[in-house]
Amino acid sequence: KRLRSSVVLALMKLFQKFPLNTFESKLPKLITVVCNALKNKESNERETARETLSKMAVGLDLKYLPLILSQMSVSLSEGYKLHVRSAALHSILVAVSNVYKQPAVESIEKIAALSFDRCVPAMLDLIHQDIFGKASEYKEAQHVEKRLIREAMGAKSQDSLEIISKLIHFKPSIATISAQKSLPGLAHASAVHALVTPFLDRLRDPDVSALTVRKVKECLNRVAVGFSSNSSTKYDEVLPFVFATVEPFVRGNMKPVDDEDADLENSDDEVETPIQVSKSNRMHRACGG
């Protein structure tokens, strides 16, 4: 069954004119129809569905992006569909990046409430599944399938990481204890930490493989490229963040961790203490505290 892109987009615009409750009740069904079209065996049909979904993401408020990501995760969860899912996510991010402009916000509450930034954990979940999960195994082992599935070619998830790094609001210093107390519902007050921490967690695994280390290095390189193009990146945020991110790994190889540091590393806080950065912490370190 072919997807009629023009009809889907016209229906979306029509639904947007309805009362909010009516619109939000009809939107999930429309997204489901497009995601189901991504399962099509014909690559041309999948490409049409991918372009349609990208146009929907651009035409909708970004607060509905998690709904799209959720439906993609449910509909495309096995086999060749994993490759299709990563390609669809990349297409959405490319389309969004062409129109998205970072809002000028400074307060912790407004930064943490940015719609795109709040989607980072969901997007990272899909990306990690592609790079480190079953999809990666298929790419490395099933050579015939890789040739047949166009979406399996290239490094779409790494490209997606670079786009995400370019679009999020770069202010890791908001990930402080005070920020967590003021926003208790957030696992990460900073989208930067939500993006980088899962990769660092893989490196902390004592049984981490050389292949995983290589993949993490490639991903972090792409993240760094994205940060370098991020319009909100500032030196007074970048340098302390890099230092606080790298220091635990260097220190772990150079000298034993004292009791106080061990307590901090074993903390149950969602935000990892070694990569928390604030001006007060920097002053404390500078004074030899």
Side-chain angles (χ1 to χ4, degrees):
K1 189 175 180 179
R2 297 187 61 182
L3 176 72
R4 295 179 179 271
S5 177
S6 58
V7 174
V8 171
L9 296 174
L11 284 174
M12 185 188 75
K13 292 181 180 179
L14 176 62
F15 293 162
Q16 286 176 312
K17 297 182 181 298
F18 291 175
L20 183 60
N21 290 340
T22 304
F23 165 68
E24 291 185 342
S25 67
K26 293 183 176 296
L27 181 61
K29 298 178 183 177
L30 199 60
I31 294 174
T32 300
V33 169
V34 181
C35 287
N36 286 336
L38 288 169
K39 301 177 183 178
N40 200 300
K41 296 289 185 179
E42 296 294 330
S43 61
N44 290 337
E45 293 298 320
R46 295 198 302 271
E47 184 175 356
T48 298
R50 202 161 53 243
E51 292 175 355
T52 303
L53 199 60
S54 299
K55 291 177 180 178
M56 291 179 70
V58 171
L60 294 168
D61 190 293
L62 278 177
K63 71 178 182 179
Y64 296 110
L65 183 54
L67 181 61
I68 296 176
L69 298 176
S70 175
Q71 188 56 51
M72 283 171 50
S73 180
V74 172
S75 300
L76 308 168
S77 59
E78 58 184 4
Y80 75 94
K81 300 170 191 174
L82 296 173
H83 307 308
V84 175
R85 186 175 69 184
S86 62
L89 174 60
H90 177 258
S91 294
I92 290 172
L93 287 170
V94 169
V96 170
S97 67
N98 290 331
V99 299
Y100 182 72
K101 294 183 179 180
Q102 289 184 3
V105 292
E106 290 296 333
S107 69
I108 292 176
E109 291 78 7
K110 290 183 179 180
I111 293 175
L114 291 173
S115 297
F116 184 83
D117 290 32
R118 291 179 68 88
C119 293
V120 170
M123 292 187 287
L124 259 290
D125 183 44
L126 299 182
I127 289 173
H128 275 255
Q129 289 182 40
D130 181 60
I131 297 176
F132 301 101
K134 290 292 184 182
S136 177
E137 295 177 8
Y138 294 149
K139 287 182 180 180
E140 294 164 3
Q142 298 182 9
H143 303 292
V144 175
E145 182 180 12
K146 183 175 179 179
R147 289 197 297 268
L148 294 177
I149 303 301
R150 184 186 303 175
E151 292 87 346
M153 306 300 291
K156 296 291 192 304
S157 289
Q158 286 83 349
D159 294 340
S160 295
L161 280 172
E162 185 174 331
I163 296 173
I164 294 171
S165 305
K166 182 179 178 179
L167 298 182
I168 62 174
H169 194 92
F170 191 93
K171 197 172 180 64
S173 62
I174 70 170
T176 59
I177 298 298
S178 60
Q180 291 298 296
K181 290 180 179 178
S182 64
L183 299 164
L186 292 179
H188 298 277
S190 163
V192 178
H193 289 88
L195 178 63
V196 174
T197 299
F199 293 107
L200 300 181
D201 288 341
R202 291 185 181 276
L203 295 180
R204 292 189 180 100
D205 183 355
D207 299 321
V208 62
S209 67
L211 177 61
T212 298
V213 172
R214 180 177 62 80
K215 289 181 177 180
V216 170
K217 180 181 178 181
E218 292 173 355
C219 291
L220 291 178
N221 282 339
R222 298 300 292 272
V223 169
V225 171
F227 285 160
S228 68
S229 302
N230 192 313
S231 60
S232 65
T233 302
K234 298 178 181 178
Y235 285 114
D236 64 346
E237 291 282 347
V238 173
L239 298 180
F241 175 71
V242 171
F243 172 76
T245 301
V246 174
E247 184 198 20
F249 296 95
V250 176
R251 183 187 60 199
N253 292 330
M254 298 299 291
K255 64 180 182 179
V257 179
D258 58 32
D259 293 338
E260 181 181 356
D261 287 339
D263 290 339
L264 289 174
E265 289 183 355
N266 293 328
S267 171
D268 290 331
D269 268 343
E270 288 292 331
V271 177
E272 294 290 338
T273 301
I275 59 173
Q276 290 176 0
V277 181
S278 67
K279 292 183 178 178
S280 60
N281 285 341
R282 297 203 302 271
M283 292 177 63
H284 183 66
R285 291 181 183 277
C287 293

